[in-house]
Amino acid sequence: QVQLVESGGGLVQAGDSLRLSCAASGRTAYTMGWFRQAPGKERELVATITWTGGNTYYADSMKGRFTISRDNAKNTVYLQMNNLKPEDTAVYYCAAKGPYTNYRNGDDFGFWGQGTQVTVSS
């Protein structure tokens, strides 16, 4: 079991940067992921990172402006978002799945945080 709490969301202007954090408690040897869900749209994968941090995966549309990282000493996963655009407005969720599952997809994430709102104004 793992409990996840996201933070760092807020209201920013287009072109700004923002770093989201996801604090994990309980067992933490999980592959972690960031997802987002915009109003009226389905939830989509942003990025994943293996529990060692040695491998990352980004959805094609997220490559270039987003960076996922983790600090296992702090049990925290981060999502650095640069050059934000209004279309990045969404609730961003942190999620976890077993460490030996395929990290190159958004499947099988069984643990979720409550989400943090990111709003980008034009």
Side-chain angles (χ1 to χ4, degrees), residues 71-121:
D71 184 340
N72 284 343
K74 297 181 179 180
N75 291 336
T76 301
V77 178
Y78 304 98
L79 183 68
Q80 177 68 43
M81 305 185 293
N82 297 327
N83 189 24
L84 284 162
K85 303 177 181 180
E87 50 265 41
D88 295 318
T89 294
V91 178
Y92 284 72
Y93 296 92
C94 176
K97 66 177 179 179
Y100 304 113
T101 54
N102 186 350
Y103 71 94
R104 292 180 177 271
N105 61 48
D107 300 335
D108 303 319
F109 281 86
F111 302 99
W112 294 84
Q114 82 289 350
T116 185
Q117 177 70 47
V118 172
T119 303
V120 184
S121 64

Side-chain angles (χ1 to χ4, degrees), residues 20 32-37 43-49 56-68 78-81 88 90-94 103 105-106 109 112:
L20 306 182
M32 302 296 292
W34 283 99
F35 294 75
R36 70 183 187 184
Q37 186 166 20
R43 186 172 59 200
E44 60 179 341
L45 174 67
V46 176
T48 67
I49 186 167
T56 59
Y57 171 82
Y58 296 88
D60 287 342
S61 61
M62 309 298 174
K63 293 178 181 178
R65 297 187 297 118
F66 294 83
T67 303
I68 189 171
Y78 304 98
L79 183 68
Q80 177 68 43
M81 305 185 293
D88 295 318
V91 178
Y92 284 72
Y93 296 92
C94 176
Y103 71 94
N105 61 48
F109 281 86
W112 294 84

